[in-house]
Amino acid sequence: MKQSKYTAKQPDAQGYINYSAQEDAVWAELYQRQWPIIQNRACDAYLRGLELLELSTHKVPQCAEVSSRLREFTGWQVVPVAALISFEEFFALLAEKKFPAASFIRTREDMDYLPEPDIFHEIFGHCPLLTDTTYANFMHEYGKIGHGASAKDKVYLARLFWFTIEFGLLQQANKLSIYGAGILSSQEETIYALESDVPLRKPFEIIDVLRTPYRYDIKQQTYFVIQSFDELYQLTQHDLLGIIAEVKPLGLYPAQHAGEAASDKLKGC
Ligand SMILES: [Fe+2]
């Protein structure tokens, strides 16, 4: 795994992390600038989840507190981890309905972009949808499949994660909307993903997804559009590892941009 310039913040015996006033101010600013732009762009389930979680707007929320809310709705928890974790640890946690969260928060120099997840991305981006039953069930089943998968299959599963949980779009009845956490925690990409004419927006097709290279260090070139979270859940109820076995000999599509094929790292998401 690549190195992070940030170090994880360690929870105390009660599971609480001490954030400084400066770090709380970074959270407050990120929250305040992101909230208005997601209103007409995030999917309804995300906005509902954000309301249900009652996240603090002015200080970094504690994973323990977010977990106690999540448990009421879907039995999920969010647990602090180092900035970047192995595939092994990642899937093992998801299989136990524990979402791994990088515990540090970005500094002021990285307000607009950082190539790795921080606590704003993890809590604001990922946690609201973990209140949604179908979405949460997909994550759990996905985690269990990944936990038992070979190292090579985990890489394919990580690509599925990338194009759904991180950078997925959802077609709602009246409009295209965002559910991917990588988009919803980025001011620039929230607007770009829906409104720019640069990226491709393709219907979600599992073989296509598994063959598409991606980059974590630029805005996405391709987004896949699902029709419902049940479409994702159904993938886990069929032979997902069998589909991966079919895809392997086909290989990845050619990279649209230099470096894409080499970027298959989980990025600790
Ligand atoms: Fe993530």
Side-chain angles (χ1 to χ4, degrees):
M1 303 299 286
K2 72 187 180 65
Q3 295 297 304
S4 170
K5 75 170 184 176
Y6 290 99
T7 45
K9 292 181 77 83
Q10 297 302 328
D12 66 16
Q14 281 72 46
Y16 278 70
I17 292 175
N18 186 28
Y19 292 101
S20 67
Q22 217 169 18
E23 289 171 322
D24 284 339
V26 168
W27 171 275
E29 190 174 328
L30 288 168
Y31 194 107
Q32 277 157 27
R33 71 180 200 177
Q34 198 64 6
W35 194 85
I37 62 167
I38 60 169
Q39 293 310 308
N40 292 315
R41 296 182 177 91
C43 68
D44 295 342
Y46 172 90
L47 293 171
R48 202 162 43 239
L50 190 59
E51 216 174 289
L52 291 174
L53 287 183
E54 299 174 337
L55 300 177
S56 169
T57 57
H58 61 278
K59 61 178 188 177
V60 185
Q62 294 292 331
C63 286
E65 289 169 1
V66 179
S67 292
S68 76
R69 299 290 289 157
L70 282 178
R71 266 195 225 100
E72 289 175 40
F73 302 111
T74 56
W76 273 77
Q77 298 173 59
V78 54
V79 297
V81 298
L84 297 163
I85 61 171
S86 69
F87 281 3
E88 207 56 56
E89 199 184 343
F90 175 75
F91 285 111
L93 286 166
L94 293 188
E96 293 179 352
K97 297 174 88 167
K98 290 177 181 166
F99 191 82
S103 53
F104 73 90
I105 192 159
R106 71 194 74 181
T107 58
R108 292 220 157 265
E109 300 80 74
D110 292 329
M111 286 300 272
D112 292 330
Y113 175 75
L114 76 168
E116 61 205 287
D118 72 343
I119 194 75
F120 182 74
H121 165 78
E122 310 286 26
I123 303 264
F124 187 90
H126 283 289
C127 289
L129 276 170
L130 285 170
T131 62
D132 182 274
T133 306
T134 311
Y135 177 99
N137 286 343
F138 164 66
M139 282 279 255
H140 188 210
E141 294 302 318
Y142 169 88
K144 288 194 283 186
I145 293 169
H147 187 42
S150 69
K152 278 193 177 157
D153 287 354
K154 282 184 172 72
V155 174
Y156 281 87
L157 287 169
R159 198 172 297 121
L160 170 61
F161 193 92
W162 187 266
F163 285 116
T164 57
I165 301 300
E166 292 296 348
F167 290 97
L169 299 180
L170 169 68
Q171 183 63 53
Q172 296 189 148
N174 52 347
K175 61 169 187 179
L176 189 61
S177 67
I178 304 167
Y179 73 96
I183 306 174
L184 290 169
S185 56
S186 160
Q187 184 181 40
E188 210 183 331
E189 196 150 354
T190 296
I191 294 164
Y192 166 91
L194 292 184
E195 287 149 53
S196 168
D197 54 11
V198 172
L200 289 174
R201 298 176 189 88
K202 301 168 82 176
F204 183 91
E205 204 284 305
I206 185 65
I207 294 185
D208 217 10
V209 169
L210 294 173
R211 297 187 67 192
T212 302
Y214 65 82
R215 291 269 298 267
Y216 61 77
D217 56 341
I218 56 170
K219 290 193 289 296
Q220 301 302 298
Q221 300 300 303
T222 304
Y223 298 100
F224 288 96
V225 182
I226 59 169
Q227 301 298 314
S228 69
F229 292 134
D230 192 52
E231 189 177 348
L232 297 181
Y233 178 72
Q234 289 307 321
L235 280 176
T236 65
Q237 301 305 294
H238 295 90
D239 186 11
L240 186 52
L241 294 179
I243 296 171
I244 289 173
E246 276 174 43
V247 167
K248 276 183 196 163
L250 303 175
L252 292 186
Y253 293 136
Q256 286 176 294
H257 298 271
E260 274 188 334
S263 68
D264 270 325
K265 299 263 186 206
L266 192 58
K267 209 191 76 169
C269 298

